[in-house]
Amino acid sequence: MENDPIHYDFLIRLKPKTNKSPQHVNVDQPPQQAAATFSVLFLLYKQQIYSLHGAEFFATGRRPEPISRKIIHIPAGDSPCRHINDFKDILTGMGIHGIKRSEILFEIATKAHDCNGVFMSVIIRKKVYSEIRLHNEEDDIARAERESMEVGARPVPATKSSIDALERVVLDVPAAAASDCAVCMEEISAGSEAIRMPCWHVYHSDCIVQWLQTSHLCPLCRYHMPCE
């Protein structure tokens, strides 16, 4: 998992100043001063992306995981462009280097140039890709066939809690590239919900649930689910 490819995308937003006048004015007090600083907030999130035959999908119900949050306050009237090195240090500390760091700094400088804002947010998403291993591994199939032919083998169901805890995913792939479910041997169509087992094999949700209610072993690689 440590060698999984990583990519970054980002979004930079600028909150503009408003020209609203105060609703109440106290003549006995001096006029309210303008904001003393221009704040730049850096937010880094991580999102796990799964890859199947070159197509991407992610687990449903799982939000990106916050990794790092940094904020820098720039004195009012000081150009954010003069603090590019500070922004560079923050990005470097977040593990962002090279071309992607330069792209983010360039976008910050572009938006900050002659800006009339009071707050800037730099939202960065770290996408970690993991390749799913499916049932085309000949060694897994051969081992599963050998074990299924063992004399005296009696199937033991997986625990209900372990079945309920399995990860639900949605395949976002065209039908031609979708994989077959090894339980029913039918296609897992794009947009349908499937279950990814801890061993990374993917099945129709109904198929693998029914299977695990009888046997605690993955149909392909014989991965052992918890059992009584």
Side-chain angles (χ1 to χ4, degrees):
M1 297 294 292
E2 294 181 357
N3 295 324
D4 290 338
I6 296 174
H7 299 283
Y8 295 91
D9 56 23
F10 63 93
L11 175 66
I12 297 177
R13 294 174 176 170
L14 182 67
K15 180 180 179 182
K17 291 181 180 179
T18 60
N19 295 320
K20 294 182 179 180
S21 300
Q23 296 179 353
H24 303 283
V25 177
N26 189 338
V27 295
D28 295 328
Q29 295 181 354
Q32 185 177 3
Q33 297 295 321
T37 61
F38 175 87
S39 300
V40 182
L41 173 65
F42 290 81
L43 293 171
L44 177 63
Y45 294 91
K46 173 185 174 182
Q47 185 171 37
Q48 188 74 44
I49 307 292
Y50 303 110
S51 176
L52 177 65
H53 298 311
E56 300 175 7
F57 64 96
F58 55 90
T60 58
R62 178 174 295 180
R63 295 183 177 181
E65 171 190 354
I67 299 177
S68 180
R69 180 183 186 274
K70 301 290 183 180
I71 190 167
I72 182 171
H73 301 287
I74 300 172
D78 193 2
S79 171
C81 296
R82 298 178 58 185
H83 295 265
I84 289 297
N85 286 334
D86 295 327
F87 303 152
K88 181 179 178 181
D89 291 341
I90 290 176
L91 294 173
T92 301
M94 289 180 168
I96 303 173
H97 305 275
I99 296 177
K100 183 56 63 175
R101 182 180 62 189
S102 298
E103 291 176 354
I104 297 175
L105 292 174
F106 178 79
E107 184 71 13
I108 291 175
T110 301
K111 288 187 176 292
H113 183 67
D114 295 330
C115 72
N116 189 32
V118 295
F119 185 85
M120 177 183 288
S121 59
V122 183
I123 304 170
I124 307 166
R125 182 173 59 167
K126 177 182 180 180
K127 299 193 294 183
V128 181
Y129 290 82
S130 299
E131 182 72 24
I132 292 182
R133 298 178 59 194
L134 295 176
H135 63 276
N136 56 349
E137 296 93 342
E138 295 181 0
D139 291 341
D140 288 345
I141 295 176
R143 184 172 65 254
E145 290 176 347
R146 289 195 303 270
E147 293 183 5
S148 65
M149 296 175 65
E150 291 180 355
V151 178
R154 182 176 63 85
V156 178
T159 61
K160 183 179 184 300
S161 59
S162 67
I163 296 175
D164 293 341
L166 289 172
E167 187 174 19
R168 269 66 176 175
V169 298
V170 174
L171 292 183
D172 186 17
V173 296
S179 175
D180 291 340
C181 172
V183 176
C184 66
M185 303 306 295
E186 294 184 0
E187 181 181 79
I188 303 177
S189 59
S192 63
E193 184 182 275
I195 285 181
R196 181 178 69 85
M197 291 187 60
C199 55
W200 296 77
H201 290 128
V202 180
Y203 304 93
H204 287 127
S205 298
D206 293 340
C207 292
I208 193 58
V209 168
Q210 293 179 13
W211 175 280
L212 293 174
Q213 288 172 345
T214 301
S215 172
H216 69 290
L217 302 176
C218 171
L220 293 172
C221 69
R222 316 304 282 180
Y223 173 86
H224 286 240
M225 290 284 290
C227 60
E228 297 295 343

